[in-house]
Amino acid sequence: NAGVMQNPRHLVRRRGQEARLRCSPMKGHSHVYWYRQLPEEGLKFMVYLQKENIIDESGMPKERFSAEFPKEGPSILRIQQVVRGDSAAYFCASSQLQGAGTEAFFGQGTRLTVV
Amino acid sequence: GQQLNQSPQSMFIQEGEDVSMNCTSSSIFNTWLWYKQEPGEGPVLLIALYKAGELTSNGRLTAQFGITRKDSFLNISASIPSDVGIYFCAGPPGPSATNKLIFGTGTLLAVQP
């Protein structure tokens, strides 16, 4: 009964490269949320997706960032032309239902370092 | 936008001591969640509160949903070394129908054996 799986756990990219972060939700979960955590800060909401649909992307930068959750396969958070300020831990959470307080389970995160 | 402020920022205590931390908001929340994050890991939900005034326990942890709906408290009794981590409060902003959460600034807990 695997939990939320994120890979890679650590990712190093040079400035200007692309970063692809993957999230496989828990079995039976169709709601995925991405959060970003800067060092010594709390998590900040980025985007909420259901299968094949972006529901809320209000926390995601308008440029260089995109997210998808295809019918088959993991959810992908894509960062193009990375800059040093993109260095952070990116967490994915999934839930079975939509609803405030419905427990969302978090993955272990991907730590992106831009050099 | 809505913010959640946690205090204290950090606590350094001896094993066996009780711990209290709180979370305040400038606006009303209808759900309060408390998470623990250990180094290199994602947050893990400890306690969920859904009703003003509610007091809920999970083992040595007790949390309360403030009457004003603008605050919440987490207490840990008889702390042990494995309680070490960062504790975050969180909640869905406004009458949100989703799990989109605002997280607090966090309280770092260090427990000395």
Side-chain angles (χ1 to χ4, degrees):
Chain A
N1 189 17
V4 178
M5 303 299 291
Q6 290 188 247
N7 68 80
R9 290 290 306 274
H10 300 275
L11 181 61
V12 179
R13 284 287 178 266
R14 295 186 186 279
R15 280 178 295 171
Q17 290 185 320
E18 179 180 286
R20 280 186 177 236
L21 289 61
R22 294 174 186 77
C23 169
S24 295
M26 287 182 69
K27 188 177 180 181
H29 287 194
S30 59
H31 303 264
V32 166
Y33 303 76
W34 284 93
Y35 289 81
R36 176 165 63 178
Q37 185 177 33
L38 295 171
E40 300 186 20
E41 292 190 11
L43 281 72
K44 297 283 195 295
F45 168 79
M46 297 182 74
V47 61
Y48 162 40
L49 309 103
Q50 291 182 31
K51 282 287 187 182
E52 300 185 274
N53 290 306
I54 295 175
I55 307 300
D56 182 344
E57 55 183 349
S58 58
M60 198 155 69
K62 296 282 187 287
E63 297 179 354
R64 302 189 298 107
F65 285 72
S66 62
E68 62 178 18
F69 188 15
K71 188 176 180 181
E72 301 290 337
S75 175
I76 306 284
L77 179 67
R78 182 180 175 208
I79 311 172
Q80 295 177 289
Q81 299 175 320
V82 296
V83 300
R84 289 236 170 95
D86 296 333
S87 296
Y90 292 82
F91 290 95
C92 165
S94 75
S95 67
Q96 189 174 27
L97 302 171
Q98 172 181 310
T102 303
E103 185 169 358
F105 295 85
F106 281 83
Q108 293 179 300
T110 293
R111 277 142 191 88
L112 172 66
T113 302
V114 180
V115 297
Chain B
Q2 289 173 299
Q3 285 186 308
L4 294 177
N5 296 307
Q6 290 186 243
S7 65
Q9 270 191 316
S10 59
M11 304 179 74
F12 299 88
I13 62 170
Q14 297 283 339
E15 183 177 0
E17 288 185 30
D18 296 343
V19 170
S20 288
M21 60 188 79
N22 67 43
C23 181
T24 59
S25 170
S26 57
S27 54
I28 287 172
F29 276 71
N30 293 316
T31 298
W32 285 95
L33 306 171
W34 283 94
Y35 285 87
K36 178 187 177 186
Q37 185 179 26
E38 296 184 10
E41 301 292 332
V44 174
L45 182 64
L46 300 173
I47 292 181
L49 301 158
Y50 301 107
K51 188 177 175 183
E54 180 181 354
L55 187 71
T56 297
S57 293
N58 177 7
R60 293 178 297 104
L61 277 62
T62 302
Q64 183 159 26
F65 191 141
I67 290 291
T68 65
R69 295 180 177 266
K70 292 184 178 181
D71 57 12
S72 180
F73 304 88
L74 176 70
N75 295 316
I76 305 174
S77 62
S79 59
I80 58 178
S82 63
D83 290 333
V84 164
I86 303 177
Y87 291 79
F88 290 103
C89 60
S96 173
T98 75
N99 269 315
K100 170 184 174 180
L101 298 174
I102 292 177
F103 277 78
T105 48
T107 292
L108 171 66
L109 177 63
V111 180
Q112 185 164 356

